[in-house]
């Protein structure tokens, strides 16, 4: 499988003061998987095999529930092209400014 990008925004339904700590647990998990990722203010974008990345998306839901969320709303975006697509090819021109 070619490299794809998957962006994930998790919105755990928890008390307001718990939102960031729960999201931080999800980001810590993403980091622990070893996939390339980029955290932005509204979502985290990952790069890799689509099956691995979608497994991470599934696990993110479980993490939120384990941390006390009664419900989790997630927004998932997938950028796929047959030859593969990387975070760097999309971001390099902005990072170097």
């Amino acid at each position: 499988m070619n490299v794809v990008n998957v962006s994930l925004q998790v919105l755990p339904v928890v008390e307001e003061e718990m939102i960031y700590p729960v999201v931080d647990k999800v980001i810590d998990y993403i980091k622990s998987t070893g996939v390339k990722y980029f955290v932005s203010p509204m979502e985290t974008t990952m790069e890799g095999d689509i099956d691995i990345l979608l497994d991470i998306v599934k696990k993110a839901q479980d993490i939120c529930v384990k941390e006390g969320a009664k419900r989790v709303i997630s927004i998932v975006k997938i950028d796929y092209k047959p030859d593969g697509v990387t975070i760097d090819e999309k971001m390099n021109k902005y990072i170097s400014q």
Side-chain angles (χ1 to χ4, degrees), residues 37-49:
Y37 70 98
F38 178 83
V39 177
S40 64
M42 299 296 291
E43 65 190 9
T44 298
T45 300
M46 301 171 284
E47 177 180 295
D49 177 87

Side-chain angles (χ1 to χ4, degrees), residues 50-83:
I50 193 168
D51 293 326
I52 292 169
L53 299 182
L54 291 177
D55 284 343
I56 292 170
V57 169
K58 290 179 201 174
K59 177 72 173 172
Q61 314 312 298
D62 296 334
I63 291 167
C64 291
V65 170
K66 181 180 175 198
E67 294 299 316
K70 297 178 176 90
R71 185 177 192 170
V72 183
I73 299 164
S74 293
I75 299 162
V76 179
K77 296 185 253 182
I78 300 171
D79 186 356
Y80 171 89
K81 65 182 188 183
D83 294 333

